[in-house]
Amino acid sequence: MMQRTSAIFILALAAAASGADAFKFMSNWQPPKVLTDVQKVELAKTEKRFGDKKLVVITGCSSGLGRETVKNLLATDMYHVIGAVRDVDKMEAVAEIDGFNMDNFHIMECELNSFASVHKFCEDLKEYQMAKPIDRLICNAGVYQPSLPYAKWSVDGHEQTMQINFLSHFLMISKLLDGMRAAPDPRVIMVGSVTGNDNTVGGGGVYPIADLKELKGFKAGFENPVAMADGYGFIGAKAYKDSKLCLMMMSNFLHSKFNRSHGITFSSIYPGCIAETPLFREKRAWFRKYFPVFMKYITGGYVGVEEAGQRLFQVAHDPRCSKSGVYWSWNGGPREGRGAAALEKGGQISGGGGAGGGWDSIYINDQSDKVNNLELCVELFQTATKITGAQWPEAKTFTSPCPTLKVISAISANMIAREELKRMAERPGFNEDGTPIQLTKRKKAALVADKVIVQGVLGNTVGRVGRVAGRLLLGRIPDTAKEGSFQEEKPLDASALPTSAVDDVMIAPEMTAETQAKPSKFMDVINEDDKSLLEDEIFDQVFANGNKALVDSASIEEREWKVGEPEKQKELSTV
């Protein structure tokens, strides 16, 4: 009685929903799992190490924004943080100075100047996390080298700013993404910049401007001596701005590609201009002295590193920040008449990205047309994947867990695959250079099996009954369904093919008057010799190792076997 009541309740919930989401509440249901002894031990070790804390991975946390973010994460006692840093000794010293709880903080080496180091970090991380999924991945590490007149190169031969800020994070995300989907609220957060968003004064009013153009540098491989994503001459400040533009573009693209399939939130943020941060350590001394004053009292965009750390922490922690595909900022827009207020508050005034405003001043900021350029986002993803050698998981969208759908899908999957294979064999397509597409050996073997077993054995037994029943149930195709085409289908002759394809296509011999006749109902009955000829042609195609020329589809009409009149003759009808 209890089981019946539960079943009725589940059906009622499904009926209350609508459309494709009717059974979505069941998507995470899993049958009871029988754990092995090894799995039980691993789960016990995982529980002992992490407890009920969320697992956070953050890059570049030995100074500046990352350091302050870790302070806030550990202060909640709700997170176990893994710091991915280049200098382990420096990170250990910082952790001791700041009094980090080392039970909840683990240091791991990751040199973003090397793809090999990123690979090793990800492998070591998987071993350390055991059965614990990653809840937050914060791509924070960055380098800014505006004063350099020439590029510096990474271990892999790429310009350092772009590899550290973007390419290595891109590779890291690809390796960790699949393992994050098991977390209840996984988030990937990328630290962007106003300088990569040219719809603002800071991003669009100060030369050089972030602009990837047609990505010619990436398309050329982005290897020494190609130092810029657009393929032109190196400018240190532009390399930084371009890298931040890439991060924000990729956050949007990964949201479109993986948010629904993996349930991961992708977002980028601009925490404000942290004018007194080690990010500017390579700037000249006069700039480091006067730039904070300018940002405090002139533009109002100054943000202290402590407050910036709170903002990045908020995007990782605040339930409101589980929205994907957005760019987070604080405070709205700059205030008019801010000079007096700035003097009174020591530069701590509200403004677009400026200090103040508190926890509730967060909002979703607008992004520039360059960030939202979908076509360029696709090219960026493709070229960065090639440069880094990243291997991305398959993005499978939600499928209804409706039991009926699963049963029907399981039954029809093989049939659909067989029919598609026959279509590919009977109507071969052409490559970009005009040469016919050849079936692989595996597909040819599957075609033989389908011909012998499905069409031969089953087709003459169960299939025969099914076809008769189908004709009785479905009837003939109405004439109105056959009419209405504005053009006759053109024959695919040699003149219609690209020049490179003509030599690869064999024109079939002319059809006889008997075969050219158009039947009103069925084509003429074929004899056993014709049948053998057709069978031999299929086997020749299969066992010729792809070297046999393809027969022109213009000379042979599409056919299907059908049961004839009571004499049970096999007739060939036009599809």
Side-chain angles (χ1 to χ4, degrees):
M1 182 64 181
M2 180 63 70
Q3 292 179 347
R4 183 178 179 183
T5 303
S6 299
I8 294 174
F9 176 69
I10 292 173
L11 291 175
L13 286 177
S18 61
D21 292 335
F23 289 90
K24 194 166 185 178
F25 69 96
M26 299 169 57
S27 60
N28 293 323
W29 288 12
Q30 298 290 338
K33 294 181 180 180
V34 179
L35 300 177
T36 64
D37 291 338
V38 175
Q39 291 174 322
K40 291 178 181 177
V41 171
E42 184 179 32
L43 286 174
K45 290 181 178 179
T46 303
E47 176 69 20
K48 182 178 180 181
R49 174 170 291 175
F50 301 107
D52 60 352
K53 293 178 173 57
K54 295 181 182 296
L55 181 59
V56 179
V57 176
I58 179 171
T59 62
C61 56
S62 62
S63 63
L65 176 62
R67 178 178 180 177
E68 296 299 323
T69 304
V70 172
K71 287 182 183 179
N72 286 277
L73 288 166
L74 294 178
T76 65
D77 200 34
M78 297 172 61
Y79 297 95
H80 187 102
V81 181
I82 294 176
V85 296
R86 175 179 57 85
D87 191 337
V88 174
D89 293 337
K90 178 183 177 182
M91 185 72 253
E92 290 176 345
V94 169
E96 182 176 355
I97 293 172
D98 291 345
F100 288 176
N101 180 359
M102 299 307 292
D103 291 336
N104 295 334
F105 183 69
H106 183 67
I107 305 170
M108 298 183 68
E109 182 178 2
C110 183
E111 170 57 83
L112 297 178
N113 258 314
S114 167
F115 292 150
S117 179
V118 174
H119 281 290
K120 185 177 184 304
F121 165 77
C122 292
E123 294 303 317
D124 293 344
L125 174 60
K126 290 178 181 178
E127 182 178 350
Y128 178 80
Q129 70 184 95
M130 297 184 286
K132 179 73 173 178
I134 298 171
D135 294 273
R136 306 286 188 269
L137 174 58
I138 304 176
C139 302
N140 165 73
V143 63
Y144 182 40
Q145 301 172 330
S147 303
L148 283 179
Y150 53 84
K152 292 199 295 188
W153 306 98
S154 70
V155 174
D156 304 289
H158 306 303
E159 192 276 321
Q160 283 189 8
T161 304
M162 183 62 76
Q163 175 155 345
I164 293 172
N165 296 3
F166 172 65
L167 290 173
S168 287
H169 283 122
F170 180 87
L171 177 61
M172 184 181 295
I173 295 170
S174 73
K175 294 184 68 67
L176 301 181
L177 191 67
D178 228 13
M180 296 183 67
R181 64 191 313 170
D185 178 26
R187 304 181 192 180
V188 175
I189 304 164
M190 305 186 197
V191 178
S193 172
V194 68
T195 62
N197 215 24
D198 67 358
N199 61 347
T200 63
V201 175
V206 180
Y207 184 83
I209 307 299
D211 190 356
L212 305 179
K213 295 183 170 62
E214 292 83 27
L215 278 171
K216 291 183 178 180
F218 270 24
K219 293 175 181 177
F222 196 63
E223 293 183 341
N224 188 354
V226 180
M228 299 295 288
D230 62 7
Y232 294 94
F234 175 79
I235 300 178
K238 187 178 189 304
Y240 173 81
K241 294 180 179 182
D242 284 353
S243 70
K244 293 299 181 180
L245 173 59
C246 288
L247 281 170
M248 292 188 288
M249 291 174 67
M250 198 46 49
S251 176
N252 293 347
F253 180 83
L254 294 179
H255 157 73
S256 300
K257 187 174 179 64
F258 292 109
N259 175 249
R260 284 182 61 84
S261 63
H262 285 60
I264 298 175
T265 293
F266 295 92
S267 62
S268 57
I269 81 161
Y270 173 56
C273 181
I274 315 170
E276 296 174 303
T277 174
L279 181 67
F280 296 104
R281 57 184 173 270
E282 297 192 30
K283 296 289 287 185
R284 294 179 175 87
W286 68 265
F287 180 91
R288 295 197 302 271
K289 179 177 180 180
Y290 293 109
F291 182 61
V293 176
F294 176 78
M295 295 304 296
K296 282 183 180 182
Y297 302 109
I298 306 300
T299 69
Y302 174 88
V303 174
V305 66
E306 297 84 2
E307 184 173 7
Q310 293 171 5
R311 291 177 173 180
L312 181 51
F313 159 72
Q314 180 180 0
V315 176
H317 179 74
D318 193 337
R320 294 175 295 180
C321 296
S322 61
K323 184 176 179 61
S324 187
V326 299
Y327 170 53
W328 296 108
S329 293
W330 286 259
N331 294 322
R335 288 182 177 175
E336 296 297 329
R338 57 180 170 261
L343 292 173
E344 293 173 2
K345 299 180 180 179
Q348 304 296 313
I349 67 169
S350 296
W359 192 265
D360 291 328
S361 67
I362 190 171
Y363 72 102
I364 298 174
N365 203 349
D366 295 327
Q367 294 177 302
S368 68
D369 291 338
K370 290 177 183 176
V371 177
N372 291 318
N373 187 333
L374 182 58
E375 292 79 8
L376 197 63
C377 283
V378 173
E379 292 186 349
L380 176 62
F381 177 82
Q382 293 172 340
T383 53
T385 296
K386 186 174 181 180
I387 292 170
T388 60
Q391 295 181 344
W392 293 91
E394 186 176 0
K396 291 185 177 181
T397 55
F398 169 77
T399 301
S400 172
C402 172
T404 304
L405 176 62
K406 290 187 176 181
V407 173
I408 293 176
S409 298
I411 295 174
S412 62
N414 289 333
M415 181 273 290
I416 293 172
R418 290 198 307 271
E419 293 301 319
E420 182 67 2
L421 181 59
K422 285 190 289 184
R423 182 184 73 88
M424 294 165 62
E426 295 168 1
R427 297 290 298 267
F430 293 90
N431 296 306
E432 291 183 3
D433 60 357
T435 57
I437 299 175
Q438 301 287 347
L439 293 180
T440 63
K441 292 182 179 180
R442 182 180 295 275
K443 289 182 178 179
K444 291 178 180 178
L447 197 61
V448 173
D450 176 75
K451 181 69 178 177
V452 175
I453 299 175
V454 178
Q455 298 184 46
V457 179
L458 298 180
N460 289 322
T461 55
V462 179
R464 178 174 298 182
V465 176
R467 287 191 293 272
V468 173
R471 285 205 304 272
L472 293 175
L473 292 173
L474 301 177
R476 300 295 182 181
I477 300 176
D479 291 337
T480 54
K482 301 177 183 178
E483 299 171 353
S485 176
F486 291 95
Q487 290 188 3
E488 294 292 333
E489 184 171 345
K490 298 179 181 180
L492 186 64
D493 54 19
S495 62
L497 296 175
T499 304
S500 58
V502 174
D503 297 335
D504 295 330
V505 179
M506 180 181 71
I507 307 301
E510 292 186 5
M511 303 176 70
T512 64
E514 184 179 4
T515 58
Q516 287 177 344
K518 294 184 178 180
S520 60
K521 184 176 181 181
F522 293 103
M523 290 185 66
D524 294 337
V525 177
I526 64 169
N527 57 35
E528 291 299 321
D529 291 337
D530 293 333
K531 175 187 172 185
S532 298
L533 183 62
L534 291 174
E535 300 252 4
D536 291 341
E537 183 67 14
I538 293 176
F539 277 88
D540 287 342
Q541 289 290 336
V542 172
F543 293 109
N545 294 323
N547 295 323
K548 185 174 177 62
L550 295 174
V551 178
D552 186 2
S553 60
S555 60
I556 301 178
E557 295 183 66
E558 297 179 357
R559 310 171 181 91
E560 66 174 358
W561 292 103
K562 290 197 173 183
V563 180
E565 300 300 309
E567 62 265 30
K568 305 296 185 182
Q569 292 177 313
K570 292 179 181 177
E571 299 177 330
L572 203 61
S573 68
T574 303
V575 175

